[in-house]
Amino acid sequence: MARNRTAWATAALMVATLGVAAVPAQATAATGAQATACPTGWGSLAETRSAATSEPVTNIRTGRHACFDRMVVDVPGADSAELGYSVRYVSRLYQDGSGRQITVGGGAVIEVRVAAPAYDPATGKPTYPAKAGQRLTGVNLTGYRTFRDARFVGSFEGDTQIGLGVRARLPFRVWVAAGRVVVDVAHNWTGAR
């Protein structure tokens, strides 16, 4: 009789375990559906926009989001129609004018060019306080999932160059709004959070 109780107890335990195991599997499927809520369809090919402004760059800042890391180049006074850019992955980053190679940490490097000077065109005085090859002023990338390094490359003939080091070659998008150029780099290719 003790064997029958043991057998029934074992059978009941197995049924309860299987029933409980089925619940997390369904919950995981539902969670998986929510996990793909990130934007998809971005790529890793160069993005450009032909436009230019003489309004100067005054700040470069970054932010962390659930699906991507973001860099914003502030160009106050510039209308969105005036903001041009070229954003692309490069194997090596060279400073315009001098040809000097700028080292940027990370598994891949994105060259961000904004068609706006980082100096006052009338006086030549810098409007963004940075030196070529140095980390971006006020930018701390600790805790970012994608960004690894951000360097000021220079500003030459009305274009400002930035080196953005990322974890790997990941999809990105570029967009403009009045007074800023925005570069978003996804955390992964799948759109999962």
Side-chain angles (χ1 to χ4, degrees):
M1 187 139 179
R3 285 187 188 174
N4 283 343
R5 284 187 196 155
T6 304
W8 280 106
T10 303
L13 181 60
M14 286 177 51
V15 169
T17 303
L18 291 173
V20 170
V23 172
Q26 292 171 351
T28 302
T31 304
Q34 292 173 349
T36 58
C38 294
T40 58
W42 304 356
S44 64
L45 298 178
E47 291 193 28
T48 59
R49 184 172 195 248
S50 296
T53 183
S54 59
E55 297 293 338
V57 171
T58 60
N59 192 30
I60 303 169
R61 53 198 165 92
T62 60
R64 295 181 294 174
H65 295 265
C67 299
F68 52 86
D69 290 347
R70 172 173 285 171
M71 172 181 281
V72 179
V73 180
D74 290 317
V75 189
D79 184 79
S80 60
E82 300 174 311
L83 290 170
Y85 57 79
S86 171
V87 179
R88 65 190 179 115
Y89 279 98
V90 294
S91 56
R92 289 184 179 84
L93 186 58
Y94 297 98
Q95 183 183 47
D96 282 349
S98 73
R100 173 182 161 208
Q101 184 175 344
I102 303 296
T103 302
V104 181
V109 176
I110 298 175
E111 177 186 42
V112 177
R113 289 177 178 267
V114 176
Y119 53 84
D120 181 332
T123 65
K125 185 177 178 176
T127 56
Y128 178 72
K131 295 187 186 222
Q134 299 299 310
R135 287 194 168 93
L136 296 180
T137 305
V139 171
N140 180 353
L141 300 178
T142 302
Y144 281 67
R145 288 182 57 191
T146 299
F147 291 174
R148 295 294 182 257
D149 194 10
R151 305 276 173 160
F152 185 74
V153 179
S155 192
F156 182 73
E157 293 184 349
D159 278 355
T160 297
Q161 271 181 292
I162 303 151
L164 179 59
V166 295
R167 180 173 40 82
R169 188 176 177 125
L170 293 162
F172 66 87
R173 70 177 174 184
V174 186
W175 54 279
V176 298
R180 65 185 176 271
V181 175
V182 181
V183 180
D184 294 331
V185 184
H187 293 314
N188 57 54
W189 281 94
T190 64
R193 287 184 193 232

